[in-house]
Amino acid sequence: SDSSEYHGRADPRGAAPPMDALDAVRKDRSHLWAGASLFVLALLCSALFVSFVADSGERIERERMQSLVRTAAATLESTNVAALAGSSADVGTPAFDAIRDELRRVRDVNPDFRFVYLMRPAPRASGKMAFLADAESPESPDYSAPGDVYDGPSEVLGRVFRTGTAQVEPPATDEWGTWVTAIAPVRDRTGKVVAVLGMDVNAAAWQATQARYRG
């Protein structure tokens, strides 16, 4: 028979489907790719949104802690702080007793406060900080006497002393629990930084706020 009668049609032996069927298959696949792209885009946007909201919650808590520690630092009598030598000779002096009373009041006003203390760079230990006064009772095993060198990480404490900018360290866990540490400079009447005030605060509120914002 004349082969021309099959012109433009599929080979009767099944060599290839009609062109309109191929176009339909391609069109169906394009819808799948478009849907997959939109799904991936939605996942990416969701992840970015959750990250943004969680970061907002952390920023709010950080600003709250900075406000707390700056306010506490502003209540300290800077003349008494400047008068401290940072040694055992301070014990029993009016300036030392007054500062200790102020630190205890700061700690006792909020049950979430654990440790409240004053520090200054240690004169004979490069890169380390030394205690000036501590809200803990001298009978407590956790008490730090004036002049005791802090054996923990001092980078943030030293930075606050050098820059005069309050800092908040993220939650850390030790044998006493999980705490957020807020640190602020204490300035004298001329604006010079004479010490740093540190407060270890229960991290429960911080963590609850973070969980709420992530949720």
Side-chain angles (χ1 to χ4, degrees):
S1 63
D2 188 354
S3 61
S4 62
E5 65 181 286
Y6 297 106
H7 181 69
R9 294 183 292 171
D11 189 322
R13 290 166 293 188
M19 293 301 295
D20 55 350
L22 289 174
D23 291 340
V25 170
R26 292 192 186 99
K27 187 175 182 181
D28 288 343
R29 288 178 178 173
S30 67
H31 288 164
L32 291 175
W33 282 111
S37 299
L38 289 174
F39 181 73
V40 171
L41 180 61
L43 285 179
L44 178 61
C45 290
S46 298
L48 291 174
F49 179 73
V50 170
S51 176
F52 169 76
V53 174
D55 288 346
S56 297
E58 182 177 358
R59 186 183 69 253
I60 289 171
E61 277 301 294
R62 188 177 298 276
E63 290 172 353
R64 183 181 72 86
M65 291 294 300
Q66 286 178 334
S67 178
L68 276 175
V69 72
R70 282 197 298 260
T71 301
T75 65
L76 299 179
E77 178 53 60
S78 60
T79 302
N80 289 334
V81 176
L84 298 178
S87 70
S88 58
D90 289 330
V91 178
T93 63
F96 180 77
D97 290 342
I99 288 297
R100 286 247 308 140
D101 287 342
E102 291 179 322
L103 294 182
R104 281 198 297 265
R105 283 196 295 271
V106 169
R107 183 196 60 191
D108 295 343
V109 76
N110 193 321
D112 284 338
F113 291 178
R114 179 63 179 90
F115 293 117
V116 181
Y117 43 87
L118 276 181
M119 287 186 177
R120 186 183 290 159
R124 290 177 294 276
S126 178
K128 291 290 187 178
M129 302 291 285
F131 287 90
L132 294 176
D134 187 2
E136 286 293 296
S137 168
E139 292 76 28
S140 169
D142 301 322
Y143 175 71
S144 296
D148 285 354
V149 176
Y150 179 54
D151 59 1
S154 301
E155 179 183 351
V156 177
L157 292 160
R159 188 187 311 139
V160 172
F161 188 87
R162 292 191 306 272
T163 65
T165 302
Q167 298 282 322
V168 177
E169 296 187 82
T173 301
D174 57 21
E175 61 266 37
W176 296 281
T178 302
W179 310 94
V180 177
T181 300
I183 307 158
V186 179
R187 300 177 185 273
D188 64 13
R189 298 184 186 278
T190 67
K192 178 184 176 182
V193 177
V194 293
V196 295
L197 172 67
M199 301 191 321
D200 295 341
V201 184
N202 192 317
W206 177 294
Q207 293 170 328
T209 299
Q210 287 293 90
R212 184 168 65 251
Y213 272 80
R214 281 194 297 268

